[in-house]
Amino acid sequence: MLIKIVDDDQVFVKKIESMVYDGFKDIFLDYSIDCITSHFEDRYFEKGDIFFLDIDLKEKNGIKIAEKIRENNSNAIIIFVSAMNDMIFDSLIVQPFYFIRKDNFDRDMKITCSLIQNYINKNHRIITFDFNDRKTSIKLSDIIYLESFLHEITIHTSFDDYKYSSSFNKMMLLINSTNIVRIHKSYVVNLFWVKEIYKEEMILNNGITLKIGKKYRQDVLKKYKEYLLK
């Protein structure tokens, strides 16, 4: 897990960094923190999982940086940290995870840590299943989509594919997540990986396009809207 703190106030960067270390030690087993305090070039934002981002940077607009982050990773967790409380509504264009007010930092940071922990527990928990006569564990967030053919399910993940003898109903019970949605008689998709939805098809972040079955369309749109509002 790569966490980036982006702020040209170096004193405040140290404060954020200290609270991130304290607040995240019980959330992540392995994480690193990068602090960016100047030269806010696009290349610095190509990688990262969680961004603490000031809006009012001397050299660049923080919302513009957030737009670049979204281009590279639509699932990045963006948390604005700003003294400009009136920018909360302007920031919504990039769907931030939270908005921390600098004049209420300690309280807002504690709320943020709690929300992130709930989010990680829901979206990044581990599921275990039998694969090639051995137990295999993968993170829920690594599952992109499931594909069914006859009595076999292929689990497509961000790093490998797994074939598993089961039905969608049994697999859905094992996964037990509202983010995993049936879109077709042959496909179940993790909404975490969805880039765009059209009437008859869904485009995923990795460029794959899947058909949406007619009987599932209304339910898919409803669940995707609910997912975006979480």
Side-chain angles (χ1 to χ4, degrees):
M1 184 67 64
L2 176 57
I3 301 164
K4 293 191 174 182
I5 301 171
V6 185
D7 198 320
D8 48 21
D9 183 341
Q10 296 193 29
V11 174
F12 214 87
V13 165
K14 292 295 182 184
K15 185 175 183 179
I16 299 172
E17 186 178 19
S18 176
M19 288 201 72
V20 167
Y21 272 121
D22 289 340
F24 284 23
K25 62 186 178 184
D26 296 325
I27 302 176
F28 304 112
L29 295 175
D30 182 29
Y31 66 94
S32 59
I33 300 176
D34 285 351
C35 298
I36 304 170
T37 59
S38 62
H39 306 299
F40 305 106
E41 300 172 21
D42 290 349
R43 61 190 176 92
Y44 292 133
F45 309 107
E46 292 174 355
K47 295 182 180 180
D49 302 294
I50 300 177
F51 292 83
F52 288 86
L53 177 60
D54 189 10
I55 290 180
D56 187 29
L57 299 165
K58 292 184 177 66
E59 299 177 22
K60 204 161 187 178
N61 183 292
I63 294 177
K64 293 295 183 183
I65 291 176
E67 289 174 352
K68 281 292 180 183
I69 293 170
R70 279 277 174 260
E71 288 178 13
N72 295 319
N73 181 3
S74 62
N75 293 315
I77 295 176
I78 297 174
I79 301 155
F80 283 119
V81 185
S82 181
M84 302 175 67
N85 297 346
D86 59 336
M87 294 296 292
I88 290 177
F89 295 107
D90 290 339
S91 73
L92 295 179
I93 191 171
V94 291
Q95 297 180 319
F97 185 83
Y98 203 67
F99 191 105
I100 294 177
R101 299 161 293 174
K102 286 189 175 181
D103 59 2
N104 202 32
F105 179 78
D106 290 351
R107 178 180 178 277
D108 285 357
M109 187 66 185
K110 288 178 182 177
I111 293 172
T112 300
C113 289
S114 177
L115 291 173
I116 287 177
Q117 186 161 32
N118 291 337
Y119 177 83
I120 296 300
N121 289 341
K122 182 180 291 185
N123 297 286
H124 295 263
R125 63 183 175 82
I126 304 295
I127 65 166
T128 302
F129 58 95
D130 294 318
F131 177 68
N132 290 342
D133 297 321
R134 60 184 174 85
K135 292 291 183 183
T136 299
S137 297
I138 57 177
K139 288 195 300 183
L140 185 62
S141 59
D142 285 330
I143 296 175
I144 302 174
Y145 71 102
L146 312 177
E147 185 175 6
S148 175
F149 181 72
L150 297 178
H151 298 293
E152 188 173 70
I153 291 175
T154 302
I155 306 171
H156 299 278
T157 76
S158 56
F159 51 87
D160 207 347
D161 293 339
Y162 302 90
K163 293 189 182 296
Y164 181 58
S165 296
S166 182
S167 67
F168 269 158
N169 288 339
K170 290 180 180 178
M171 196 66 193
M172 296 285 273
L173 287 173
L174 174 64
I175 293 172
N176 188 28
S177 171
T178 57
N179 292 349
I180 307 296
V181 175
R182 186 85 174 260
I183 70 164
H184 188 276
K185 66 179 182 179
S186 301
Y187 303 120
V188 167
V189 171
N190 187 350
L191 297 179
F192 184 78
W193 285 87
V194 173
K195 182 178 182 181
E196 296 174 325
I197 291 182
Y198 297 96
K199 184 179 179 181
E200 298 180 357
E201 62 184 21
M202 175 182 285
I203 300 175
L204 307 181
N205 288 332
N206 59 0
I208 289 175
T209 299
L210 300 175
K211 291 290 185 183
I212 300 175
K214 186 176 181 180
K215 66 178 287 188
Y216 300 99
R217 287 173 193 166
Q218 188 173 352
D219 188 55
V220 169
L221 289 173
K222 177 177 177 291
K223 289 181 177 178
Y224 188 56
K225 288 177 182 177
E226 291 173 352
Y227 171 79
L228 293 175
L229 291 172
K230 288 180 182 178

